[in-house]
Amino acid sequence: MSDALILVGFDAGQTHCRCKLSRWHNGNWQPLGEGQGSGVSHLQAAGGETRFMEAIRSSLQAANPSGLEITAAAVGASGVEQGTALQNRARDLLAASLELPTEHCVATGDERTALRGAFPNDAGIVLISGTGMIVVGRNDNGLEQRCGGWGWQLDGAGAAFDLGHQGLQLSLRMADGRLPDGPLRNQLWQVLGCRTAAEIKAFVVQPDYQPAQLAQLAPLVSAAAEAGNVEAAAILDRSGNALAEAVQAVASSLGLTKPVLCARGGALLNLAPLQQAVDTSLLRRQVDARWDDRNGDACDGALTLALESC
């Protein structure tokens, strides 16, 4: 392997694609540039491949305006499942976008690049709880394991979407008189621009309904729990238990007896009751874990994967 490589790592999200350009020299990273471009959609969606290639090219142009020659590249993108034909297709599109040999290109899920960003060469588990959730870990032998993250329709427990969804369900019970009414119901409905239970029902069946619209309700549910709302606190407990369950499964699969945990995603990083609920459930499950702050992000993880392809 040459000791003067120019590598690029991408974190391809639906809103935008981030890119980091860096030189690997004498065993150290030398940052060369960062940029942001257009977002991606699922590769199998209409126009998905075109959007993917445009996201790669536009973000690279922003990070590398002088056009430095790249040795290898890696991208983490939502929906690119490990070991699938879709992963191979994403790698081929990355290679075509950058005019690189496929053997110097890596494409994987964004949870995998987040993992390698936090734990480049050591063992650990990353808990990602944003609009969606997923837990992924790695042991000292380099074996990786994921748990959860199978889409909001099937597997959203522990995510901001699920917190908002459960909060909205709670608000309907309040509106019906099944539970005492309280300020949380009005707060949730105001955010969605609804005044009645019938309007809530109509809102969630609209063709353009998106999980992120309920994810934005999560901070209100969390605040209600902190203020003493018993039902809201129970929602946070269920979500925390779902994340702890996934941590336990990953740790057991990888043989991690004292796993190091790293939090990612707005829900887990910004909602204190959620992380407290995770801790409580881990103690109850007798999982001897500890949290650690890790600076490396998904682009850094992609750079590590690019380096390994050289």
Side-chain angles (χ1 to χ4, degrees), residues 70-153:
I70 295 165
T71 308
V75 59
S78 177
V80 177
E81 297 291 348
Q82 193 83 351
T84 64
L86 196 65
Q87 183 182 26
N88 293 334
R89 184 58 184 148
R91 179 205 59 204
D92 293 346
L93 290 169
L94 177 63
S97 300
L98 303 177
E99 299 181 352
L100 287 174
T102 55
E103 60 266 28
H104 290 160
C105 291
V106 179
T108 188
D110 53 1
E111 77 283 355
R112 303 276 176 170
T113 48
L115 174 65
R116 294 305 299 276
F119 301 98
N121 300 300
D122 51 336
I125 298 176
V126 172
L127 292 76
I128 304 172
S129 175
T131 298
M133 68 76 70
I134 189 168
V135 174
V136 60
R138 187 171 189 268
N139 65 17
D140 287 322
N141 296 321
L143 182 65
E144 296 182 2
Q145 180 68 34
R146 62 82 64 84
C147 189
W150 300 112
W152 62 271
Q153 299 98 326

Side-chain angles (χ1 to χ4, degrees), residues 1-6 23-30 71 307 310:
M1 182 191 297
S2 168
D3 201 32
L5 307 171
I6 296 180
R23 178 184 287 110
W24 177 256
H25 185 61
N26 290 334
N28 293 293
W29 291 107
Q30 297 175 351
T71 308
L307 177 62
C310 296

